[in-house]
Amino acid sequence: MATVSIFDFLARCQPLSDGFAALEAGDIWRLGSVLYARAGASTALVQKASVYGEAYQFAGLWALPGGMVRAETGYNGNHHGCFDLIRQSLVSRAALECGLQLSDMIDLGTTDRLGPIVTSYTAKERQRFTLMTVQRCRVGTAVCLSSKDRSIASAEWHEPPLEWGQLAPGNRLALAHLLWAELSETQRATARRAVEFALEQCADWAETAGVVAPPSPWADGTAIARWRTAWPYSFNEPDLPCD
């Protein structure tokens, strides 16, 4: 399987019969999307909760709002509609998880600053893998955040320095790459150990899912540039709808 930029990757993803999205049904991972919403120096974060009393390994940890892309939401009947699918699925999740509405989101769009990050969780005694994409937006003012989703314990704005160990691993790594240039040397030193641990976890999940492992945010520019175009790409032609 070749690798490409995120835009080519997303153009090849398609809704699947299981209700999620990937390049093809045989992929071990399913597509996910999270929202990097900034109001000034603050980032919108949500705290995960256990649902219906089930154990959840990330309960109590913080993350960017979003999650698995639901294929039944917003798909317009053709292959390239996956872009709209991702956007509408994420907007719906953000509204439920932290109260941000589409009208609050300025310049909402997919960021090309990151390469693939694989996360993993266990549901119904089965390990699942999510290939996380990030969409960024600005929020004019730090609107009050609140959640209507049972899987979210709290929604808040946070500024660096963050409690890095309290972030879910995939989100910890994504935020480290997004925020690293803004951090002072002292803040970077504080974050480094927690980020290294997230790197180890995400590398293991990436290997299992057959996806390129991410570099550290302090890696050299060549390694980071290579990662940004390391999105998986299938040469199989997608099934396009008939006219």
Side-chain angles (χ1 to χ4, degrees):
M1 182 176 289
T3 57
V4 293
S5 73
I6 186 173
F7 302 105
D8 291 329
F9 162 74
L10 291 178
R12 304 288 295 192
C13 286
Q14 56 187 320
L16 302 173
S17 59
D18 61 6
F20 300 102
L23 290 174
E24 51 193 34
D27 291 321
I28 192 174
W29 52 268
R30 290 298 180 260
L31 186 66
S33 189
V34 293
L35 182 66
Y36 178 52
R38 294 288 300 270
S42 299
T43 301
L45 296 177
V46 296
Q47 187 180 38
K48 300 290 188 177
S50 294
V51 183
Y52 306 120
E54 295 182 1
Y56 177 51
Q57 60 266 48
F58 298 145
L61 299 183
W62 292 83
L64 296 164
M68 300 287 285
V69 172
R70 303 285 176 169
E72 67 271 17
T73 305
Y75 181 54
N76 67 5
N78 62 61
H79 176 65
H80 295 289
C82 202
F83 285 102
D84 291 336
L85 170 68
I86 295 164
R87 179 187 177 96
Q88 293 184 36
S89 180
L90 180 57
V91 167
S92 175
R93 293 305 309 162
L96 283 172
E97 292 187 6
C98 67
L100 280 177
Q101 305 298 319
L102 180 59
S103 58
D104 299 319
M105 303 177 192
I106 304 168
D107 299 329
L108 175 64
T110 303
T111 175
D112 61 353
R113 294 180 60 187
L114 301 181
I117 296 175
V118 178
T119 66
S120 179
Y121 65 98
T122 301
K124 298 180 180 179
E125 301 182 349
R126 176 185 170 190
Q127 187 176 17
R128 301 170 189 268
F129 297 89
T130 304
L131 186 52
M132 186 171 69
T133 60
V134 179
Q135 290 199 23
R136 66 167 64 240
C137 74
R138 294 182 294 111
V139 178
T141 57
V143 299
C144 183
L145 300 181
S146 62
S147 178
K148 297 179 181 178
D149 192 307
R150 290 186 178 183
S151 69
I152 301 301
S154 182
E156 299 175 4
W157 293 102
H158 286 261
E159 291 187 22
L162 303 172
E163 292 292 337
W164 292 95
Q166 294 302 308
L167 293 166
N171 285 265
R172 187 186 313 168
L173 187 53
L175 280 166
H177 275 280
L178 290 164
L179 293 171
W180 204 253
E182 302 178 18
L183 302 181
S184 67
E185 289 302 318
T186 299
Q187 290 171 339
R188 290 178 180 182
T190 300
R192 189 164 180 137
R193 185 173 181 181
V195 174
E196 286 176 337
F197 183 66
L199 272 167
E200 293 176 4
Q201 292 179 290
C202 291
D204 287 343
W205 295 331
E207 182 179 4
T208 302
V211 176
V212 172
S216 69
W218 53 86
D220 65 69
T222 301
I224 291 178
R226 188 182 303 120
W227 169 59
R228 289 175 181 169
T229 56
W231 295 89
Y233 181 88
S234 174
F235 283 108
N236 296 330
E237 288 298 325
D239 294 327
L240 298 177
C242 297
D243 294 332

